Amino acid sequence: MNIAIINSTDFWSMGWATDPESQQQVVESLVRGGVNVEVFEVASKRQLLAVLEPLKQKHYLVWPNAYKVYAFEGSQQTLWLADLVKEQGFGLIGSDATTLRHLMLKDQCQSVLEKHSVAIPYFAAIDDTMLGNLQAVLQARGLSFPLFVKPNALSTSKGITQDCVVHDLDSLRRQIKKLGEQFSYPVMVEEYLPGQDITVAVFRTPERPIILATYYDTEIYDDPAAVLDHSVRLLDWNDRKWLRVVSEPEVLAKIESVALATCRALDIHEFTRMDCRMDRHGNIKVFDVNGYPGLELPFSTTVWQMIVKMHEKPQRYAFDTLIALVIYCVAHRHNLAVPVVINQLAQAYIAEAASAMDCLSTA
């Protein structure tokens, strides 16, 4: 199997690897799995096409490490990297640009999920022209206090503080203005979900989708009204934050139902990670979905989920299993042979996951 990883100048921050060091860890894992890997960086459509042309006869899969690429050298105009790769006839690792467009902005993502009747918090996207008419907007969207306010186009909890939970109209208006002026409008206003944060990795294996759900634990939850803010997200694992595998059968059943519905609605390929909480009635609701879940060892959440799940194994083995699951899904979607080591790692995890689900279903 041949894989070409394509980086895009100035757009690393939205990739599954955000720097060359973390990307090298992925490359080394792929090589250990028997994959031939080439890595490129392009700064324009012209450079991208020049990189892809000699790969056409070698049956490469392309793994884009960015949403966008510059249309021309020296221009700020951008194009969707996945669209350009598909136009050249290459198979993609990860979701295509249509899905990524939906995932890039939270209001667009939630609108798609709402249209497909996926369980999400009630929400409204507020711009500065709506600040004088907030009460009517809230009523029209079925929103009541307390509410949660967050930026519309950021990741890793950027812009999230404990002040994002608001209990009255004046506080709501102040928080919207603060986030709008700092990070741009519109600002997302959501139903406040009082349950604990649950992060869910989904691997769309051909046998059956695999769900890995973990509670996001932190010392801040000594206050039951606390939310997972950016300062906590920046901490190292086990430094006042940690993950714990969800094991309750009834909770897992709810998570699986909403997670798979989310993947279908957004047409997500191979893998993703999404964040959920329970509402006051015990219903699981999705409030964030990742286009390219981070793969930095050991910092990224999806990576740490695998490390926690496979705690009896070395961290590198858990990381290799994560990469293997992604490539296993890709190979089957594109009808390609799976490298032997990749197949062994993926099949071992799939068998263990199936056994665990059987045990839960009979518990």
Side-chain angles (χ1 to χ4, degrees), residues 260-276:
L260 297 185
T262 297
C263 289
R264 289 192 294 268
L266 293 166
D267 194 27
I268 290 172
H269 298 310
E270 276 85 69
F271 71 114
T272 190
R273 187 177 61 79
M274 62 191 72
D275 296 313
C276 316

Side-chain angles (χ1 to χ4, degrees), residues 9 46 91 110 184 194 234 239 251 253 266 311 322 334 357 361:
T9 301
R46 181 188 63 81
Q110 297 302 78
S184 80
L234 292 177
D239 178 11
V251 177
L266 293 166
H311 59 89
L322 167 58
H334 293 291
M357 288 304 296
S361 63

Side-chain angles (χ1 to χ4, degrees), residues 203-339:
F203 302 94
R204 306 201 72 179
T205 60
E207 292 83 359
R208 60 165 289 171
I210 291 177
I211 306 294
L212 173 54
T214 49
Y215 290 112
Y216 212 125
D217 289 338
T218 169
E219 288 179 2
I220 67 170
Y221 289 149
D222 291 343
D223 174 5
V227 294
L228 189 63
D229 63 36
H230 186 54
S231 64
V232 173
R233 286 292 298 268
L234 292 177
L235 296 172
D236 289 333
W237 293 108
N238 295 328
D239 178 11
R240 291 173 288 152
K241 72 170 186 178
W242 52 93
L243 295 178
R244 174 170 49 92
V245 176
V246 178
S247 59
E248 305 92 324
E250 67 281 3
V251 177
L252 283 171
K254 292 179 181 180
I255 290 171
E256 181 171 20
S257 177
V258 73
L260 297 185
T262 297
C263 289
R264 289 192 294 268
L266 293 166
D267 194 27
I268 290 172
H269 298 310
E270 276 85 69
F271 71 114
T272 190
R273 187 177 61 79
M274 62 191 72
D275 296 313
C276 316
R277 273 190 170 205
M278 285 189 185
D279 66 12
R280 64 181 186 274
H281 303 296
N283 301 310
I284 297 286
K285 293 187 175 181
V286 175
F287 62 83
D288 193 44
V289 185
N290 287 267
Y292 292 156
L295 294 177
E296 180 183 349
L297 175 68
F299 184 76
S300 296
T301 302
T302 311
V303 174
W304 198 254
Q305 284 183 285
M306 291 297 291
I307 290 170
V308 171
K309 175 67 174 179
M310 306 181 74
H311 59 89
E312 75 286 356
K313 300 285 188 180
Q315 287 190 5
R316 196 179 82 170
Y317 183 92
F319 184 69
D320 285 350
T321 298
L322 167 58
I323 302 303
L325 284 168
V326 174
I327 302 307
Y328 182 84
C329 295
V330 173
H332 281 277
R333 180 160 70 92
H334 293 291
N335 296 313
L336 298 173
V338 184

Side-chain angles (χ1 to χ4, degrees), residues 126 150-153 176 178-187:
I126 308 293
K150 65 184 182 183
N152 190 44
I176 291 172
K178 177 182 177 180
L179 294 182
E181 291 169 2
Q182 187 173 0
F183 301 113
S184 80
Y185 289 96
V187 173

Side-chain angles (χ1 to χ4, degrees), residues 22-327:
S22 60
Q23 185 170 88
Q24 185 59 32
Q25 295 167 340
V26 177
V27 171
E28 291 171 3
S29 179
L30 290 168
V31 171
R32 287 193 293 270
V35 178
N36 175 52
V37 187
E38 292 195 56
V39 180
F40 305 91
E41 177 148 3
V42 299
S44 66
K45 176 182 176 180
R46 181 188 63 81
Q47 291 183 18
L48 173 65
L49 298 183
V51 163
L52 294 178
E53 185 61 33
L55 302 180
K56 287 183 177 179
Q57 305 304 317
K58 302 178 183 179
H59 306 292
Y60 270 76
L61 287 171
V62 174
W63 199 342
N65 189 42
Y67 282 27
K68 295 184 177 183
V69 64
Y70 288 123
F72 308 98
E73 290 92 335
S75 168
Q76 293 302 301
Q77 180 186 352
T78 59
L79 301 169
W80 288 84
L81 182 55
D83 275 346
L84 296 175
V85 171
K86 285 187 69 175
E87 287 171 6
Q88 297 302 306
F90 288 89
L92 280 175
I93 297 177
S95 297
D96 62 22
T98 299
T99 297
L100 297 178
R101 288 184 185 95
H102 292 151
L103 296 177
M104 193 168 187
L105 298 175
K106 292 177 172 50
D107 62 333
Q108 290 187 18
C109 178
Q110 297 302 78
S111 293
V112 172
L113 297 181
E114 183 179 47
K115 179 180 178 181
H116 287 82
S117 301
V118 178
I120 59 171
Y122 294 109
F123 76 97
I126 308 293
D127 62 35
D128 55 348
T129 66
M130 303 162 71
L131 289 173
N133 198 30
L134 277 180
Q135 188 65 59
V137 173
L138 299 184
Q139 290 176 349
R141 295 295 295 166
L143 288 162
S144 59
F145 293 101
L147 295 170
F148 184 63
V149 189
K150 65 184 182 183
N152 190 44
L154 298 179
S155 59
T156 63
S157 297
K158 291 175 184 173
I160 303 300
T161 67
Q162 301 309 315
D163 291 337
C164 289
V165 180
V166 297
H167 298 270
D168 57 69
L169 205 59
D170 288 341
S171 299
L172 173 62
R173 186 176 289 108
R174 285 196 301 271
Q175 193 64 21
I176 291 172
K177 289 180 68 175
K178 177 182 177 180
L179 294 182
E181 291 169 2
Q182 187 173 0
F183 301 113
S184 80
Y185 289 96
V187 173
M188 283 287 283
V189 175
E190 293 180 341
E191 165 194 6
Y192 173 67
L193 303 176
Q196 189 172 353
D197 283 90
I198 300 172
T199 192
V200 183
V202 183
F203 302 94
R204 306 201 72 179
T205 60
E207 292 83 359
R208 60 165 289 171
I210 291 177
I211 306 294
L212 173 54
T214 49
Y215 290 112
Y216 212 125
D217 289 338
T218 169
E219 288 179 2
I220 67 170
Y221 289 149
D222 291 343
D223 174 5
V227 294
L228 189 63
D229 63 36
H230 186 54
S231 64
V232 173
R233 286 292 298 268
L234 292 177
L235 296 172
D236 289 333
W237 293 108
N238 295 328
D239 178 11
R240 291 173 288 152
K241 72 170 186 178
W242 52 93
L243 295 178
R244 174 170 49 92
V245 176
V246 178
S247 59
E248 305 92 324
E250 67 281 3
V251 177
L252 283 171
K254 292 179 181 180
I255 290 171
E256 181 171 20
S257 177
V258 73
L260 297 185
T262 297
C263 289
R264 289 192 294 268
L266 293 166
D267 194 27
I268 290 172
H269 298 310
E270 276 85 69
F271 71 114
T272 190
R273 187 177 61 79
M274 62 191 72
D275 296 313
C276 316
R277 273 190 170 205
M278 285 189 185
D279 66 12
R280 64 181 186 274
H281 303 296
N283 301 310
I284 297 286
K285 293 187 175 181
V286 175
F287 62 83
D288 193 44
V289 185
N290 287 267
Y292 292 156
L295 294 177
E296 180 183 349
L297 175 68
F299 184 76
S300 296
T301 302
T302 311
V303 174
W304 198 254
Q305 284 183 285
M306 291 297 291
I307 290 170
V308 171
K309 175 67 174 179
M310 306 181 74
H311 59 89
E312 75 286 356
K313 300 285 188 180
Q315 287 190 5
R316 196 179 82 170
Y317 183 92
F319 184 69
D320 285 350
T321 298
L322 167 58
I323 302 303
L325 284 168
V326 174
I327 302 307

